[in-house]
Amino acid sequence: ALARNTVDSPTEPTRGMRARFSFEYAGGFLDAESNYTVTTLEIAHFWPLWWKFVGHLRGNIAYGEAFGETPLLPVQKRYFLGGANTIRGYENFSISPTSPLTGGETGGNKAFWINGEILFPIYEPLRLRGVVFVDMGNSFDELHDFSWTVKYGAGVGVRFISPLGAIRLEVGFPLNPGPADNNYEIIFSAGRLF
C-alpha cells in the first residue's frame, strides 16, 4: 500500500488531502487456497468553505479478480455497500448484486462510492460538530461492468470528539430505495472518523 496524508488534524480536519492506493495478491506463487488480486484507490479532500464550515469529499474505487483455479473472488473480499462507511441511508451490506436463483446478495467484485459532506461547529467547547451529507455508489459482479447505475443516500448527523475517541450519530435516508429498503437508517459508530 502507498499512502499520503496532508490533513491538518486527525479528529477535526479543515483542510488537506488523504490518499491511499493498495494492491493485494493472494495465491499463485504464494500457494494459498484462493487466487485473487484486489486493487483499491481512496482519496479524501477537506477544504474550508465559509466561516467555520468545512467541505469534505471522499471517493473510493475498488476492483478484485480471481485467477487460476479460483472461479470467483472469495466472498470475504467481495463488495457489499451500505451502512456507515459507504452509502448511508441503506442497511449494512444491502447494496450488492443478487443471485438470480435465491435473490440473496452475492457481493460484487468491483465497486465505487462517493461521500460528500459539509461539517460545521455546533458547540465548540465540547468539540461537537454537525454534518449534512450526500452519498452515492454501487457494486457490480463479474457479469457487469462499472456503470453509472447508482444508489443515492443523504442525511444529517452530529460528531463528537470524546476522550475515548470520535463518536458519530447520523440518520441517512435512501433517495432511490428499493422495495426491501427502510425509510431511514440510524448510524452510530465510535472510533475513527473516515
Side-chain angles (χ1 to χ4, degrees), residues 22-189:
S22 67
F23 177 76
E24 182 179 349
Y25 178 93
F29 70 91
L30 298 175
D31 198 29
E33 289 183 18
S34 298
N35 304 288
Y36 64 86
T37 61
V38 173
T39 306
T40 306
L41 175 64
E42 180 177 322
I43 298 174
H45 188 50
F46 295 88
W47 66 97
L49 296 173
W50 165 79
W51 186 53
K52 296 181 180 179
F53 283 65
V54 175
H56 174 213
L57 188 63
R58 183 183 92 146
N60 189 310
I61 187 166
Y63 178 79
E65 185 172 27
F67 65 90
E69 296 179 3
T70 304
L72 297 171
L73 192 65
V75 68
Q76 69 271 21
K77 293 295 177 179
R78 300 183 75 80
Y79 301 103
F80 299 82
L81 306 185
N85 294 317
T86 58
I87 305 170
R88 292 162 284 187
Y90 296 86
E91 191 174 342
N92 286 335
F93 317 120
S94 65
I95 300 174
S96 162
T98 56
S99 165
L101 299 176
T102 66
E105 287 87 5
T106 59
N109 73 317
K110 49 194 163 289
F112 76 93
W113 60 94
I114 299 168
N115 310 117
E117 299 182 331
I118 296 177
L119 301 140
F120 52 91
I122 294 176
Y123 187 61
E124 291 183 273
L126 286 180
R127 301 172 73 187
L128 185 67
R129 298 172 96 186
V131 61
V132 294
F133 61 84
V134 175
D135 300 335
M136 67 178 74
N138 210 342
S139 173
F140 309 94
D141 61 18
E142 289 82 354
L143 300 176
H144 300 91
D145 293 328
F146 278 107
S147 74
W148 200 245
T149 306
V150 297
K151 289 286 194 176
Y152 296 94
V156 296
V158 293
R159 296 184 179 170
F160 169 61
I161 308 302
S162 76
L164 301 176
I167 296 173
R168 292 168 56 193
L169 179 60
E170 299 167 351
V171 59
F173 302 91
L175 299 183
N176 54 341
D181 292 320
N182 297 324
N183 292 329
Y184 64 91
E185 289 291 327
I186 295 175
I187 300 148
F188 175 81
S189 69

